């Protein structure tokens, strides 16, 4: 009986020692891991978004793409009615031709007047008037040339093309719509570069540096790992740039750990798992790399 109790006590003691040893080992592993890694699940996918707006006003003649369509750089997005701009171009061409003719006439007249003035058959005032008329005609030619160039540009701008490859989004433009210059009509999400805006606690960023490698997981693709690299660290916390930044000078405030945005570039995005801006993500930065 005594031997049984002794064995039970020995087993219990061994169990307790093992439990504390395992706990200490796990605790040590966590400390080592946290020394070389820092993580956050407050991260979101981002990319460059280009707002598409016409440079000139007009009526939409046709729309060449649809919402959420992938387009290539230089591909036609939509076209404005070119007829008013064709008319303006023809008018500018005619005005340029007229001014060129006026210039040639003023040039010939100035030459004749100069010859006559040297022979005293024309006064100095006549000569001055001819030179002034020539200068005025030359300036008119330059103005007409500028107007012709502008009309040519405007006609070309009736075709609105994609400034970058990517996905059309928020498209609601239709043929027949009247649009004004510089008014954004829809957006284009560029596929040239994707990154994470990862918001780390201010207590976590002490050892984060540009160039460190990162492991990324997206909520939309469970079990899929993406590679990333730290590109930059914001110069301020996220709340500083909010519409109404906190004012802590009143004396009535609660200290809250702030978060600092860190930009983490995707290094090997793949078409198999397309990235979408705003998607939630978790990221682990490897401090030792």
């Amino acid at each position: 009986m005594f031997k049984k109790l002794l064995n039970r006590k020995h087993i219990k003691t061994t169990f307790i020692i093992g439990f504390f040893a395992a706990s200490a080992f796990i605790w040590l592993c966590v400390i080592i891991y946290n020394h070389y890694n820092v993580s956050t699940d407050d991260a979101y996918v981002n990319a460059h978004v280009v707002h598409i707006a016409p440079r000139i006003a007009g009526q939409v003649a046709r729309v060449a793409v649809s919402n959420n369509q992938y387009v290539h750089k230089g591909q036609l997005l939509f076209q404005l009615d070119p007829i008013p701009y064709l008319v303006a171009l023809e008018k500018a061409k005619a005005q340029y031709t007229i001014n060129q003719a006026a210039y040639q006439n003023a040039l010939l007249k100035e030459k004749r007047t100069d010859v006559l003035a040297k022979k005293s058959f024309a006064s100095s005032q006549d000569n001055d008037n001819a030179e002034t008329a020539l200068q005025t005609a030359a300036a008119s030619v330059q103005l007409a040339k500028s107007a012709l160039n502008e009309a040519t540009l405007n006609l070309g701008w009736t075709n609105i093309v994609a400034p970058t490859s990517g996905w059309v989004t928020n498209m609601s433009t239709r043929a027949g719509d009247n649009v004004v210059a510089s008014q954004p009509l829809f957006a284009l999400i560029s596929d040239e570069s994707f990154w994470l805006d990862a918001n780390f606690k201010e207590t976590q960023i002490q050892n984060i540096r540009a160039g460190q490698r990162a492991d990324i997981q997206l909520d939309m693709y469970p079990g899929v790992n993406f590679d990333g690299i730290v590109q930059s660290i914001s110069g301020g916390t996220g709340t500083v740039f909010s519409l109404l930044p906190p004012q802590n000078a009143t004396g009535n405030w609660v200290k809250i750990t702030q978060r600092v945005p860190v930009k983490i570039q995707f290094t090997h995005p793949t078409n198999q798992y397309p990235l979408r801006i705003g998607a939630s993500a978790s990221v682990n930065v490897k401090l030792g790399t």
Side-chain angles (χ1 to χ4, degrees):
M1 186 70 178
F2 178 75
K3 199 179 264 190
K4 282 184 179 181
L5 290 172
L6 189 62
N7 287 339
R8 287 179 184 175
K9 187 175 181 181
H10 178 71
I11 291 171
K12 185 176 180 181
T13 302
T14 303
F15 176 79
I16 293 172
I17 293 173
F19 173 79
F20 281 106
S23 298
F25 177 74
I26 293 173
W27 177 74
L28 182 61
C29 289
V30 169
I31 291 178
I32 294 173
Y33 179 85
N34 289 337
H35 181 73
Y36 292 103
N37 298 268
V38 62
S39 305
T40 183
D41 59 1
D42 187 355
Y44 306 91
V45 178
N46 210 339
H48 294 294
V49 179
V50 181
H51 297 282
I52 305 300
R55 297 192 182 205
I56 55 175
Q59 187 177 66
V60 178
R62 76 182 183 102
V63 178
V65 296
S66 58
N67 201 27
N68 300 321
Q69 178 181 335
Y70 181 83
V71 296
H72 296 279
K73 183 177 182 179
Q75 182 175 337
L76 179 67
L77 300 176
F78 65 96
Q79 183 184 45
L80 300 180
D81 183 4
I83 293 178
Y85 294 98
L86 281 168
V87 172
L89 178 59
E90 293 303 316
K91 183 179 179 181
K93 287 180 178 178
Q95 192 64 46
Y96 180 61
T97 300
I98 290 171
N99 283 316
Q100 280 185 311
Y103 171 77
Q104 291 299 326
N105 182 57
L107 180 62
L108 292 174
K109 186 175 181 180
E110 191 275 337
K111 288 181 178 179
R112 287 196 299 267
T113 304
D114 184 60
V115 171
L116 293 173
K118 288 178 179 178
K119 295 180 178 180
S120 299
F121 292 125
S123 66
S124 297
Q125 184 62 52
D126 291 336
N127 194 27
D128 292 341
N129 290 341
E131 289 181 357
T132 301
L134 178 61
Q135 293 173 358
T136 301
S140 297
V141 169
Q142 295 298 319
L143 287 174
K145 180 63 175 177
S146 297
L148 177 59
N149 291 338
E150 182 179 8
T152 303
L153 284 174
N154 286 342
L155 180 61
W157 285 337
T158 58
N159 292 321
I160 292 83
V161 300
T164 181
S165 298
W167 292 268
V168 174
T169 185
N170 289 335
M171 160 70 81
S172 61
T173 305
R174 296 290 180 270
D177 288 350
N178 289 302
V179 299
V180 298
S182 302
Q183 178 185 5
L185 300 178
F186 55 92
L188 184 63
I189 302 173
S190 173
D191 68 347
E192 292 180 352
S193 177
F194 285 92
W195 67 88
L196 280 186
D197 287 324
N199 302 299
F200 287 91
K201 293 179 181 179
E202 57 186 318
T203 55
Q204 294 178 299
I205 67 166
Q206 180 180 358
N207 296 317
I208 296 179
R209 301 286 184 272
Q212 291 171 335
R213 293 190 297 112
D215 292 329
I216 302 169
Q217 295 82 37
L218 301 183
D219 291 0
M220 65 168 57
Y221 300 124
V224 179
N225 292 323
F226 296 85
D227 295 326
I229 188 169
V230 176
Q231 190 173 77
S232 62
I233 303 171
S234 174
T237 63
T239 56
V240 170
F241 304 107
S242 63
L243 184 61
L244 296 173
Q247 299 293 330
N248 298 330
T250 60
N252 183 20
W253 62 281
V254 178
K255 184 177 181 179
I256 300 174
T257 300
Q258 301 297 308
R259 290 188 177 265
V260 178
V262 176
K263 185 176 181 180
I264 300 176
Q265 192 80 34
F266 283 87
T267 53
H268 300 101
T270 171
N271 293 333
Q272 184 179 0
Y273 301 104
L275 302 175
R276 307 188 188 282
I277 62 174
S280 300
S282 298
V283 60
N284 174 63
V285 175
K286 299 179 178 181
L287 302 178
T289 59

